[in-house]
Amino acid sequence: MTGLQRPAGLLGSSTQLPGGQGHVRPIVRMAVQTQPRMPPGFPSMIPTIKIDTTTLPENFDKNLRQVKEISYVSRRRFDDTSFDPDAVDEDGLPLVYNEERISQFWKGRPGELATRWARFAGISAPWLTSLANAVIQGKVIERQGALARDAVTNLEKLGPTFIKLGQIMSIRPDVLPPAVMAELAKLQDNITPFDSTVAFAMVEKELGKPISEIFSEFSSEPVAAASLAQVYRARLRSTGEEVAVKVQRPGALSIISKDLYVLRRGVGVYEGFVKRFTAQTTDYQQLLSTFAEGLYTELDFRNEALNGMRMQTLLDESEFSSADVVIPKPVLEYTTRRVLTMEWITGVKLTTLSKPEIRDLIKVGQEAFLTQLLQIGFIHGDPHPGNLLKVTEGPNAGKLALLDFGLVAEIPPPDRAAMISSVIHLANRDSNCDRGKIIPVMERVLGPYLEIISFLLAPDARDLRPLIINELSTFSDLLLRDRTRRSVAALPSFAPRLPFFGALPLPPAPPLYLPGIGFKAVAEAVDLLAPPLTASEQVYLQSLTELGASLLGELTRSSCLHSLGPPLASGIPC
C-alpha cells in the first residue's frame, strides 16, 4: 500500500507476553472462578466460568496442555455459551489450541510431515550455507544486509509460522542490528498476497452470501497483506459505512498446526541436548507453548473482534482518557472465524512520521499501555509499528489508532499488584524487608568471605596481591586446558548405542577453523588451543584444587557456625 492508508486490524505478530517462564499456571494446581465483563450488546454470554480440576482425566499429561488450562492469552470466545472447545474444521483439526489433539492428528500423517521437512530443508539449507561461509570468512557484518534480505524471502516461502517468528525478531534491537531489523520489518505488513479470487470465494463461503449483496464496493486487490491474512477496502450496502475486510490465508490452520507439531518435536530434542551438556534451565517447551497458543488463537477472528470490544469498554471505564485513542469497531454480523469486518481507519505508521509528530503521540501511547498493563489488566500483546497508526482523516484525525487485537494478554490482579509494588519499591530504592533482621544474618553468612576480601584490599597486602593474581591466572589456565581435553576425549562416549551391537561408529569430525591459522583437524586444534599438561603441571593443578576445596570447606563451616550462633553451634556438624 502507499503508506497513506492502512486498514484497521491487520495482523502483526510479536508474541511477547509478560512473565517469561511461568506464563501459564497449570490447571492441576488450582480451580478458578471468574466473572467476565463483556461488551454490551454481544449475545449469549454466560455470567460465570468455573474450571474444576476434578474433571481432569487420570492420564493427564502436564507436557501437553489442555484446552481449558489457565493462560495469560485472552480467549474471549470461551465466554460464549455457543462455544465448543472440541470443535474441529473440515479436515478434523482442532479449532482451539490443544497440544494433545494436534499431536494425535499429525502423528497419523507421516507423509505430510516428511514433505514439510523436505521443503524446510530445501529452502533453509542454501541460506545456512551462506551464513556459514560468512562466519568462516569473517564477513558477517559486511554481508548482514544480503543475508537478512534472503532470510525474509525464505521466511515468506516457509509460511505464516516462520513469518511470525521473523516478525518477533524484527522488534528485538537487543538481539539484532538495525540493518537486519529493517529488513525483517518488511514482514509486518508487506507480505506477498494470495490470489484475490480465492479470497472472494472464502468471503462468500464464510458470510453465506454473494459479496455484491453485502457490500456496495469491494476493492479488487488487497490494500495490505500480512502473515495470516490480507485486507480489502469495502463499503457496506446496508449502512454505507466504509469498512476493512480481513480474509484469512487459505490453509493457514493446517500449515500452522503442522509447523507447531514439528517445532515441538524439534524443541524437545534440543532441550534435552542443552540440559545434558549445559547448566541452562530454560523451559523451551513452555516458551514454544506460549508462542503456539497465541498464534493459534489469532486464527479465530471472532476472538479478535471480542478483544477489541472488550478493550474499548475497559478503557472507557478506566481513568485513562480513551477519547485520545481510536480502536476500530468490528461489525459482528459479518465476522466469522476466517473473515473479520471492521471500521476502516486511514492513517500512517508512527515510524514514517517526523520526530515532533512522534513526540506528540508518545505520551498518549505510554499512558494507554500502562493503563492496560497495570490498571485494567487487559493489554494489547502485539504493539509492533504496523499496529500503531496516526489517524490522518475523519473526525479522529491526529489521534493514535490501536489495531489488531488478535493477541491480547489478560493480567490477573495479583500479578498487577506485584508489578506495581515492584516499580514503586524500585523507584524508592526500598527492598520492602526488615533490614534489622536481614543485615545481621548476611553479615554472619558472608563475614568470613568478606574478611578475606578486606585483607587482600588492605595496604598491608599490596605486595601479596600480584602473587595471588599470578597463582589464580596459572590455576585458571591449567584448569581450562585440563577440562577442555577431558571433554573432547569424552565425546565418543555420547555415540548412539544399539542393543547387542554397542556404540555406533561416529563420522570423522570436520576440521576446525582457527583465526589466523586456518583449518586444522580437531585433535591438532585441541593441541594448539589446550596443550597437554606436563607431569609437574598435573601435580600443581591437583595441589591447588585440593587447597581451594579445603579453604572453601573451612569458610563454609565457619559461616555455618556463625549463622547458628554460640548456643546452637556447639557439637553441631556443618
Side-chain angles (χ1 to χ4, degrees):
M1 54 192 300
T2 63
L4 293 178
Q5 296 177 336
R6 165 68 157 79
L10 180 62
L11 283 181
S13 71
S14 170
T15 56
Q16 301 175 48
L17 301 179
Q21 290 190 27
H23 284 196
V24 178
R25 292 151 291 174
I27 192 173
V28 295
R29 294 184 181 178
M30 62 177 73
V32 172
Q33 184 169 348
T34 61
Q35 181 72 27
R37 291 189 300 165
M38 295 304 299
F42 195 79
S44 304
M45 296 300 170
I46 59 176
T48 303
I49 305 172
K50 187 172 182 181
I51 305 175
D52 191 350
T53 59
T54 59
T55 61
L56 291 174
E58 294 182 359
N59 60 347
F60 176 74
D61 187 348
K62 294 181 182 178
N63 295 323
L64 293 176
R65 297 163 59 202
Q66 301 295 309
V67 62
K68 293 183 179 179
E69 184 179 351
I70 299 168
S71 165
Y72 281 120
V73 177
S74 172
R75 297 175 289 188
R76 307 310 304 174
R77 283 276 297 155
F78 277 30
D79 299 337
D80 190 343
T81 53
S82 64
F83 175 74
D84 180 9
D86 299 319
V88 297
D89 70 356
E90 54 271 17
D91 297 322
L93 273 168
L95 298 180
V96 176
Y97 184 67
N98 186 303
E99 290 171 358
E100 183 176 8
R101 296 181 63 201
I102 293 174
S103 177
Q104 291 174 350
F105 181 89
W106 287 112
K107 278 181 180 178
R109 292 165 172 80
E112 294 184 49
L113 295 176
T115 302
R116 185 60 175 165
W117 271 112
R119 178 169 175 77
F120 173 79
I123 292 174
S124 61
W127 184 84
L128 292 173
T129 302
S130 299
L131 176 62
N133 289 334
V135 172
I136 292 173
Q137 298 172 16
K139 297 183 178 180
V140 174
I141 296 179
E142 178 183 338
R143 300 178 185 176
Q144 64 181 5
L147 288 169
R149 284 190 293 273
D150 292 341
V152 169
T153 301
N154 291 339
L155 290 173
E156 280 197 58
K157 292 179 180 178
L158 288 172
T161 308
F162 295 91
I163 292 174
K164 284 288 183 180
L165 291 173
Q167 291 173 336
I168 293 173
M169 300 307 298
S170 73
I171 54 174
R172 293 297 302 273
D174 57 321
V175 177
L176 297 175
V180 177
M181 290 175 56
E183 292 294 333
L184 292 176
K186 297 175 181 177
L187 296 172
Q188 292 171 3
D189 59 1
N190 194 27
I191 307 299
T192 303
F194 61 92
D195 189 354
S196 289
T197 305
V198 177
F200 298 157
M202 181 177 294
V203 171
E204 294 184 343
K205 178 182 178 181
E206 290 290 313
L207 302 184
K209 296 179 181 180
I211 289 179
S212 59
E213 289 188 16
I214 302 173
F215 305 98
S216 58
E217 298 176 14
F218 204 97
S219 60
S220 59
E221 295 297 331
V223 294
S227 57
L228 300 183
Q230 59 193 36
V231 178
Y232 293 85
R233 190 171 187 172
R235 189 178 299 275
L236 290 175
R237 183 174 294 278
S238 58
T239 64
E241 179 186 3
E242 194 171 25
V243 294
V245 181
K246 183 158 72 172
V247 186
Q248 192 172 116
R249 288 183 176 271
L253 183 67
S254 176
I255 295 172
I256 288 175
S257 63
K258 185 190 306 180
D259 287 342
L260 294 176
Y261 173 74
V262 171
L263 285 173
R264 169 160 290 280
R265 298 190 66 179
V267 166
V269 174
Y270 174 77
E271 185 174 60
F273 180 83
V274 168
K275 289 185 176 180
R276 181 173 182 180
F277 295 103
T278 73
Q280 287 191 30
T281 58
T282 303
D283 191 342
Y284 292 98
Q285 294 278 8
Q286 185 66 48
L287 290 176
L288 177 62
S289 292
T290 302
F291 166 75
E293 182 188 12
L295 178 56
Y296 215 88
T297 302
E298 286 190 77
L299 293 171
D300 191 339
F301 291 169
R302 296 166 296 186
N303 192 71
E304 178 177 343
L306 292 173
N307 282 343
M309 296 170 65
R310 169 81 163 160
M311 181 67 75
Q312 185 67 68
T313 300
L314 293 178
L315 287 179
D316 289 342
E317 295 174 354
S318 71
E319 298 176 1
F320 173 69
S321 178
S322 59
D324 295 332
V325 169
V326 179
I327 297 175
K329 299 179 181 63
V331 183
L332 296 178
E333 182 182 359
Y334 300 121
T335 294
T336 68
R337 181 171 64 88
R338 292 186 288 193
V339 173
L340 172 60
T341 304
M342 77 199 90
E343 173 188 4
W344 174 272
I345 291 179
T346 301
V348 294
K349 295 196 296 185
L350 300 190
T351 52
T352 65
L353 300 177
S354 63
K355 290 185 178 180
E357 290 179 293
I358 296 176
R359 196 175 299 115
D360 292 340
L361 294 173
I362 284 178
K363 181 180 179 180
V364 177
Q366 286 180 334
E367 188 175 353
F369 279 93
L370 286 175
T371 299
Q372 295 172 33
L373 177 65
L374 301 178
Q375 183 180 349
I376 66 178
F378 196 73
I379 181 170
H380 191 301
D382 200 5
H384 69 68
N387 289 335
L388 302 173
L389 303 184
K390 179 181 180 180
V391 182
T392 56
E393 295 181 10
N396 294 318
K399 296 182 179 181
L400 178 66
L402 304 183
L403 311 181
D404 186 6
F405 290 86
L407 183 62
V408 173
E410 297 194 59
I411 314 299
D415 292 356
R416 300 204 302 272
M419 285 188 283
I420 293 172
S421 176
S422 298
V423 171
I424 293 174
H425 290 302
L426 181 63
N428 294 334
R429 298 185 178 182
D430 178 12
S431 61
N432 195 28
C433 63
D434 189 340
R435 298 187 180 189
K437 295 181 180 179
I438 296 297
I439 291 178
V441 173
M442 293 179 64
E443 288 178 346
R444 289 197 299 270
V445 173
L446 300 178
Y449 303 95
L450 296 176
E451 289 176 5
I452 293 179
I453 295 175
S454 299
F455 167 72
L456 294 176
L457 296 178
D460 295 340
R462 183 182 297 108
D463 296 334
L464 184 61
R465 282 196 290 268
L467 297 176
I468 294 178
I469 292 174
N470 182 63
E471 292 297 321
L472 289 175
S473 176
T474 302
F475 172 72
S476 300
D477 176 68
L478 296 178
L479 183 64
L480 182 61
R481 285 162 54 191
D482 179 67
R483 293 300 181 264
T484 299
R485 298 188 68 85
R486 287 173 182 267
S487 299
V488 174
L491 287 179
S493 64
F494 296 110
R497 304 180 68 86
L498 294 177
F500 309 110
F501 292 96
L504 296 176
L506 291 175
L512 297 179
Y513 177 78
L514 302 181
I517 299 177
F519 288 96
K520 294 290 182 181
V522 172
E524 189 176 353
V526 171
D527 287 337
L528 289 173
L529 298 175
L533 272 63
T534 63
S536 59
E537 288 177 331
Q538 291 178 358
V539 173
Y540 182 68
L541 175 62
Q542 182 66 25
S543 300
L544 285 180
T545 302
E546 292 177 356
L547 176 62
S550 176
L551 288 175
L552 183 62
E554 288 299 321
L555 287 172
T556 303
R557 174 178 171 80
S558 175
S559 173
C560 180
L561 293 176
H562 275 81
S563 62
L564 288 172
L568 297 177
S570 178
I572 298 179
C574 290

